[in-house]
Amino acid sequence: MSLAVTPFGSAARPDTAGLLRRHWPLLPLASTVLLLLAPIAAGDASTSGKVGPADAASLVLVLVCAVQALRGRVRELSPLGVAVLGVPAVGLAVATATAGDPYAALPGFVRYLQVFVLVPAAIVLLVRDAGEFRLAAGCFVVLALVQGAVGVVQFATHTGASYQGEDIRAVGTFGPGDVMGMATVVAYGLVVATAAALAPGLPGRVRRMAGGAALVLVVPLVLSFSRGAWIATVGAALLVMLLAGIRRALRVLLALAAAGVVLVGGFGVGSEMVAERLTSITQVSSAPDQSVTDRYTMWAAAESMWRERPAVGVGLKGFPANRDGHSSLGLSSGSDTAGAGQAFIRQPLLSPHNMYLLVLSEQGLIGLTALAGGWAALLVAGLRRCASGGGGIRDCGLIAIGLFVWQLTDFLYADIGGPSTVLTGVIIGLAAWWALPSPSGGDAFPGGPGRAGVRTAPGPGGGPAGAAAAGRRTGLVAAPRAVPGADGR
């Protein structure tokens, strides 16, 4: 027998003081996500490239993880986990040391280390059980709902970013300097809500609330007019539905289709512009617009840089300096941004808008193998754990796989940049937490075995009763559940 955790059941009231004592290391993680609600000053498009409140919170998260590690209060890591989380740092160090100007590459080294090494590792070590994973995932839904609400108001009141001559593009608090910011966080929340709505182990009330949130978030995602976010969301949602089961998937698909028909067909929510945007997806090769032409040109430039230095690339932050020497005349001087309280600004094109090509051009085959190889390992391991049942916490697997697949798909036509970049590290961390379970099997419930420094108070009869008592103290209800294996995995 083992224990399965159901979140916040009706049989127990959460003790606020007890929750804070137990989960305080998660506060920096929650802050990293929720501080993206802070608005960016209008008229300062360069703000998206600076250190923001969410980045500062991620630094606190890493520091808390270091302190907890010294105290022996973090999860154990398997050898595979050490390799997947540590090898990218080696690739980054090589790319920095071999850059034409190593000092200019240092800011890129710090940013990549933050997003792809430190933040993911901190999450894997600090998130100790399924309950804490769910708390972290819930922050994505809160962020998405608030940003989405701001975006809908922007569309309705014509106070959004400029799109086809009208200030109607929903961008949330990110502003026109980062038009992908709101689309990205809303898509994250939509994927989490969809996975929770389909999870067989969650209470019916939670699934219904998650399904409602997913339907609501469809609106701001549509109004973002972001083709890339649409494609990645559809792909991730379909995979989550298939993993959850065909019957559940059909119900959700019907609900989402009905919502789309009502919104676009019935109420005419941007119907002409949405239809035109959808049509443009199929015209990327036959009749591409200028943004697609620019993207193709920068992809070719990235490939040319890699051919020049195939092993190590041109160095971190080296793409902008080498862009013009490897680009054709078809590249425009920049993209136009305006609206949402900002005057007209022409932003330069400083990246290829493809994460894999960006890494290949700046870090060469060494860097791409270190990063993408680790992502592939996490994806395979995560899917295998989902297929095996997940030890009673399958909802965590659906959320982790859904978010991770969304990010890997989005990387095909986008790269890191802007305040929401820090969430990339959070997503990789949640995916790694799921794909790399603790060797001692203490992931499924609070107070599980093998979690150093975390003790479960014994109850009458010891064992499961003690774990149930710990669950009541943290607002989590523990119920007996038979699962394969004595360690709960």
Side-chain angles (χ1 to χ4, degrees):
M1 297 291 290
S2 183
L3 294 176
V5 177
T6 56
F8 303 103
S10 58
R13 291 181 177 273
D15 176 14
T16 303
L19 283 173
L20 287 175
R21 283 195 300 269
R22 173 176 170 75
H23 300 296
W24 72 266
L26 286 187
L27 291 177
L29 174 55
S31 299
T32 300
V33 179
L34 296 179
L35 281 176
L36 286 171
L37 293 172
I40 296 175
D44 185 7
S46 65
T47 303
S48 62
K50 299 177 181 177
V51 176
D55 293 305
S58 73
L59 175 60
V60 176
L61 174 68
V62 173
L63 292 176
V64 168
C65 178
V67 172
Q68 291 294 88
L70 291 175
R71 299 174 64 191
R73 295 180 178 267
V74 295
R75 291 170 77 237
E76 295 181 47
L77 270 183
S78 64
L80 176 62
V82 174
V84 169
L85 296 173
V87 168
V90 178
L92 294 174
V94 171
T96 304
T98 58
D101 186 353
Y103 292 103
L106 277 178
F109 173 79
V110 173
R111 184 61 157 168
Y112 274 82
L113 196 68
Q114 171 206 11
V115 174
F116 297 115
V117 179
L118 296 180
V119 171
I123 291 172
V124 172
L125 294 173
L126 284 179
V127 176
R128 298 170 297 181
D129 53 56
E132 294 187 343
F133 182 100
R134 292 164 186 148
L135 289 174
C139 292
F140 280 93
V141 180
V142 174
L143 173 65
L145 288 171
V146 176
Q147 288 285 1
V150 175
V152 171
V153 170
Q154 289 172 334
F155 175 85
T157 59
H158 287 66
T159 56
S162 178
Y163 181 76
Q164 295 187 358
E166 299 183 63
D167 292 343
I168 58 170
R169 188 169 190 176
V171 292
T173 64
F174 293 94
D178 184 15
V179 294
M180 285 295 298
M182 189 214 74
T184 298
V185 301
V186 166
Y188 290 158
L190 178 55
V191 171
V192 171
T194 301
L198 293 169
L202 293 180
R205 179 174 60 88
V206 175
R207 294 201 305 269
R208 288 190 294 272
M209 292 175 60
L215 291 176
V216 167
L217 289 172
V218 170
V219 181
L221 182 62
V222 169
L223 298 180
S224 70
F225 298 106
S226 173
R227 293 170 294 192
W230 294 349
I231 295 171
T233 303
V234 170
L238 287 176
L239 177 60
V240 167
M241 292 175 191
L242 291 175
L243 291 174
I246 299 298
R247 291 183 180 179
R248 293 176 181 271
L250 288 177
R251 288 199 296 267
V252 173
L253 279 174
L254 289 174
L256 290 175
V261 170
V262 171
L263 289 171
V264 179
F267 296 121
V269 178
S271 55
E272 293 183 4
M273 293 183 176
V274 171
E276 180 183 346
R277 198 68 165 165
L278 285 171
T279 303
S280 69
I281 295 176
T282 63
Q283 298 175 336
V284 293
S285 58
S286 59
D289 55 30
Q290 184 59 49
S291 65
V292 176
T293 299
D294 287 339
R295 189 161 300 182
Y296 286 161
T297 304
M298 290 187 293
W299 288 1
E303 182 185 3
S304 176
M305 293 178 201
W306 166 68
R307 291 185 182 279
E308 187 176 279
R309 300 186 69 186
V312 295
V314 297
L316 292 173
K317 292 291 184 179
F319 183 89
N322 291 271
R323 183 199 63 182
D324 292 342
H326 294 267
S327 299
S328 68
L329 297 177
L331 183 65
S332 66
S333 59
S335 59
D336 300 338
T337 61
Q342 176 185 289
F344 174 83
I345 295 178
R346 192 162 184 81
Q347 288 190 314
L349 303 174
L350 302 178
S351 70
H353 296 291
N354 181 304
M355 190 65 204
Y356 305 105
L357 288 177
L358 177 63
V359 173
L360 187 64
S361 63
E362 293 189 340
Q363 303 178 45
L365 286 175
I366 294 176
L368 184 64
T369 302
L371 279 173
W375 300 339
L378 290 179
L379 182 58
V380 172
L383 288 171
R384 288 183 61 185
R385 193 179 183 196
C386 269
S388 67
I393 55 171
R394 198 177 180 196
D395 59 294
C396 298
L398 294 178
I399 292 171
I401 293 297
L403 287 173
F404 196 43
V405 168
W406 190 99
Q407 194 64 70
L408 295 181
T409 304
D410 185 68
F411 276 167
L412 291 171
Y413 35 78
D415 46 50
I416 59 173
S420 61
T421 294
V422 68
L423 294 186
T424 302
V426 176
I427 287 173
I428 295 174
L430 294 179
W433 182 92
W434 169 256
L436 306 169
S438 175
S440 54
D443 299 330
F445 58 90
R451 290 171 44 216
V454 180
R455 300 183 180 274
T456 302
R472 287 192 291 272
R473 287 195 301 273
T474 60
L476 300 172
V477 179
R481 182 182 180 91
V483 294
D487 61 355
R489 285 184 293 172

